[in-house]
Amino acid sequence: MSSTPEIPRVVVIGAGIVGCSLADELTARGWTDITVLEQGPLPAPGGSTSHAPGLVFQTNSSKTLTALARYTVEKFTSLDVDGVSCFHQVGGLELATTPDRLAELHRRAGYAASWGVRGEIVSAARCKELWPLIDESLVLGGFHTPDDGLARALLASRAQMARACARGARFLERHTVTGIEREDGRVTGVVTDRGTFPADHVVSAAGFWGPVIGRMAGIDVPLQPLAHQYARTGPLPELSGATAEASKPILRFQDRDLYFREHTDRIGIGSYAHRPLPVDPFAVLPYDEARARNMDMPSSYPFTEEDWAPSWADCRQLMPTLRDAEIEAGFNGVFSFTPDGMPVLGESRRLRGFWLAEAVWVTHSAGVAKAVAEWMVDGRPSIDLHECDLNRFEEAQRSPSYVLERGAQQFVEVYDVIHPLQPMERPRPLRVSPFHARQQQLGAYFLEGGGWERPHWYEANAPLVDALGPLPARDAWSARHWSPVAAAEAKATREGVALYDMTPLRRLEVTGPGSLDFLDRMTSNNLRKKPGAVTYSLLLDASGGIRSDLTVARLAPDRFQVGANSPADLDWLLRHAPADVHIRDITSGTCCVGVWGPLARDLVQPLTPDDFSHEAFGYFRAKETYIGHVPVTAMRLSYVGELGWELYTTADLGLRLWDTLWEAGRELGVIAAGRSAFNSLRLEKGYRAWGVDMTDEHDPFEAGVGFAVRMDRDDFVGKAALAGKGEATRRLTPLLLDDPAAVVLGKEPVYVDGLPAGYVTSASYGYTLGRCVAYAWLPAGLPTGTGVHIEYVGEKVSATVADEPLFDPKMTRIRR
């Protein structure tokens, strides 16, 4: 980041709950030259904040979203305006009327325990006590969270606006942004219809107008506004005499895509049950024009009665008292969705100093503002935000049609029971490897990630299941997107040889005279090795947190191939690259086959003119050679704990590479294997997955990857911070489930001595070990053999702390 004045000039676009929260957080950190521009009138400018019903349910399957919501509750509870609290802590209640939903609520209770939110599963009778208006006979149980409640968004905006102004910030209403000024790739100011405001930093907190502001800055904002129905009943006799805004918990009836809250003697009802109603952010009316057309505000669209009728019938079934009630008022409120349902946060590399704080709901508003303020002032947020990073989307996921289609589907699925492996249905297929046609012929079961079609197993291998013997029965949840074929593929990899499609693995080419110095400074391990060396290394931030893990192959003195994780890795490297270093994402133009198993050398050696013996081609080495007619870059790596190579070639030759390997491997019994077996094998070896097992919230030593850090070499990013760290208080810990039939999937709470002590990061059945393997963040110092319990769908499953690696600890199978 280039230098700015001692107190930077910041312009925040949008004075909704996010903009007000951000101004408060920035001024609290000493950045007091803050101007907040708002096109509408204050304090209710007409965006989503102005109509938000304010329900805050903290628990989410995302640890990040839960942390953002927890801070929002904490902060708003501490704020008041004229003696009225900005948060009304009435609690939350989610109802189950089907067995599937009740199981989902047990999983949600597990998330709450994992992430530190108070909550419990309650009986139907208790649900009736908490909400007397419901028909108890429909309810199987509920999830009660006493610390949830109602955020008074406009009051919270006013309170934070006042605090920010007292520290020097200013809020200007009726200022419509018309342009973003820039010079030499950096933002310099914001143009409005009432003047230009110089700026060192500009933050777009414009809500569903985000794409409009983004276009002015030359930045695409992958956000789709949609309208959502909200209705309010007339006065209800059962609530007559009520004086408080609400006395009952905020209520979710997810089986019918509904939520409820009290408005003194009335009930407000929100519905996600209707068809998606996309809104063009470039066509939203200005505040005064919307009012002139009898709209309350630009974000409040006319109520569509035809969409409401089915939901009203469901409401009356759940609450019989509503059968005699009428809807007094209703509207379709506009708010923001992204292709994955997460916020869009961070600074643009293409326009330095231009930040996004978009697609943020009231639930997470203060938490997002704190994280973005930390990011701007301190250089990094204090919590992991990789799920929210504006650079997380692939180029193929940023088209307007993709954002519209996926955003609309996110709306449809807001309250659906979503399995962690469940892929979006459309648009598919989007990205396919050169092997896709062969995979289809083998009956591949595809899931999707990053737009890629990824085989999880192949039905062609189903006959191999018979030779396995009986496998433990799975419950309905863990059996989704799973097949016993995965066990057969894992066994075949351990005993023979298998081909894995590793094409979705991100590949970067780094070249130029300064490439070695650059990569050596940016990563934690020693890269000063001769060409042909491959090094496992880490991208750290200045605090020593793990931004990503990499494999770095030195193919020539000034040419490297880097195996990375997300588009954010490319962005991070490009931000720091000097002029004599060139970085290119080569993923789409290349492909990769992993050839792994004890017979891997028997398969590849006859196909290549080079010596693939252990002596001539050692572990963590790379060689440019040929497989048959196909030029490849071969790397002696293994993510499954078996002998083998990753073979890279250009996309146009990919199919020929696959066919060459397949034909040569027939006499060896070669199979194609999928990611389900792959995940099982990598966990047996204890190989970490970045973004799941470790993030920038963790340092390498507590995450168990300290071997990739060379503290005895020249300075690198994060070294000083690591040198100053004390003894770790937590560890990424391997667990083996005691019951051979038990399975967990990840994110479940782990109990030590009966108390929640951590959570599972990733888990899979270890077919070689005959036990489910789980990795979990737990207190440091738990000795091997310590008994713990993992809560899985309401049941406590016993597990034991184990030594790692669980499989082949002497690495004899890889190094042969």
Side-chain angles (χ1 to χ4, degrees), residues 136-207:
E136 180 185 354
S137 69
L138 299 177
V139 178
L140 300 180
F143 176 43
H144 181 224
T145 45
D147 299 327
D148 290 341
L150 292 165
R152 297 182 171 112
L154 287 178
L155 278 187
S157 296
R158 286 176 56 193
Q160 294 177 103
M161 189 185 308
R163 298 202 320 184
C165 288
R167 301 184 190 113
R170 58 176 175 168
F171 286 72
L172 303 178
E173 64 179 2
R174 303 287 188 174
H175 281 65
T176 299
V177 174
T178 59
I180 304 294
E181 292 188 331
R182 67 198 90 169
E183 184 177 333
D184 297 328
R186 185 166 186 91
V187 71
T188 58
V190 178
V191 182
T192 76
D193 57 351
R194 298 175 66 176
T196 298
F197 297 84
D200 303 300
H201 297 273
V202 173
V203 185
S204 177

Side-chain angles (χ1 to χ4, degrees), residues 357-385:
E358 297 291 6
V360 181
W361 295 6
V362 171
T363 300
H364 311 108
S365 54
V368 162
K370 177 189 177 189
V372 172
E374 291 171 336
W375 208 342
M376 295 175 71
V377 176
D378 304 327
R380 72 181 298 272
S382 59
I383 67 169
D384 167 45
L385 289 181

Side-chain angles (χ1 to χ4, degrees), residues 618-642:
Y619 193 51
F620 269 92
R621 300 293 299 171
K623 186 174 295 189
E624 293 181 295
T625 183
Y626 290 86
I627 296 293
H629 298 289
V630 180
V632 301
T633 299
M635 297 188 196
R636 178 99 182 265
L637 305 174
S638 176
Y639 205 53
V640 299
E642 296 293 338

